[in-house]
Amino acid sequence: DAKTTQPNSMESNEEEPVHLPCNHSTISGTDYIHWYRQLPSQGPEYVIHGLTSNVNNRMASLAIAEDRKSSTLILHRATLRDAAVYYCILRVQYGSSNTGKLIFGQGTTLQVKP
Amino acid sequence: SQTIHQWPATLVQPVGSPLSLECTVEGTSNPNLYWYRQAAGRGLQLLFYSVGIGQISSEVPQNLSASRPQDRQFILSSKKLLLSDSGFYLCAWSLAGGSGYTFGSGTRLTVV
């Protein structure tokens, strides 16, 4: 299964931007890049996803390298509520249909300091 | 709007007892459904996924089984629980085409 590599932990100061890196050198052409975050004792929360182009939404931005072998999740202004485990995941297509499955890695634990 | 319901929130079961966890999705049709498990201090492991009624794919050989008797209902079962079945069980749904996944609030299962 496609795998991603993320730093185990990162720290940020409140109200500063955060750049969370992810390497996925074995990505294939049909794999979407997904980001989720998880607070303790809660289910993962969808953050953003993309295929080739950079993506923006109300939560974050996703910058995808031109060769698609790495990506960066950007939180523009970190708040204390952004402290969580962030997972970078490749959505691997299965079968002949346009469906896929998420294979989670260990993620990056983000600490936000006031 | 779409919602996903998962119950119970917590469960304590003795070794050797059966298990049934239910997940239902509202507000969408023909979703892809998933069961994940997260052991203490570990990442999420995909257990089963389903693209339609009666269609179940297993990712990991184990003591568990899954069923999808209706379009928006996904059930995780076991005939005899093991201590190693303890963990945080999460149901999720998505649509085809690379869209984001929505996870339920999870069931924390402790096998004693």
Side-chain angles (χ1 to χ4, degrees), chain B residues 22-111:
Chain B
E22 188 165 342
C23 171
T24 59
V25 179
E26 296 179 354
T28 188
S29 297
N30 196 30
N32 296 329
L33 297 172
Y34 308 84
W35 278 112
Y36 285 84
R37 177 174 61 197
Q38 187 171 33
R42 306 283 298 276
L44 283 86
Q45 180 185 36
L46 178 62
L47 302 176
F48 300 95
Y49 62 91
S50 171
V51 299
I53 296 174
Q55 301 179 60
I56 307 296
S57 296
S58 174
E59 283 293 293
V60 181
Q62 58 209 315
N63 184 42
L64 302 169
S65 62
S67 62
R68 184 170 178 175
Q70 300 180 40
D71 181 45
R72 290 169 290 179
Q73 183 184 30
F74 206 22
I75 298 171
L76 183 70
S77 304
S78 174
K79 292 182 179 179
K80 289 185 177 181
L81 284 170
L82 306 172
L83 287 175
S84 57
D85 291 325
S86 294
F88 191 40
Y89 288 82
L90 290 151
C91 180
W93 75 272
S94 75
L95 295 174
S99 62
Y101 289 48
T102 301
F103 285 81
S105 54
T107 295
R108 187 160 303 281
L109 171 67
T110 304
V111 182

Side-chain angles (χ1 to χ4, degrees), chain A residues 52-65:
Chain A
T52 57
S53 302
N54 294 344
V55 184
N56 299 294
N57 66 22
R58 62 174 180 82
M59 291 182 69
S61 295
L62 176 60
I64 301 173

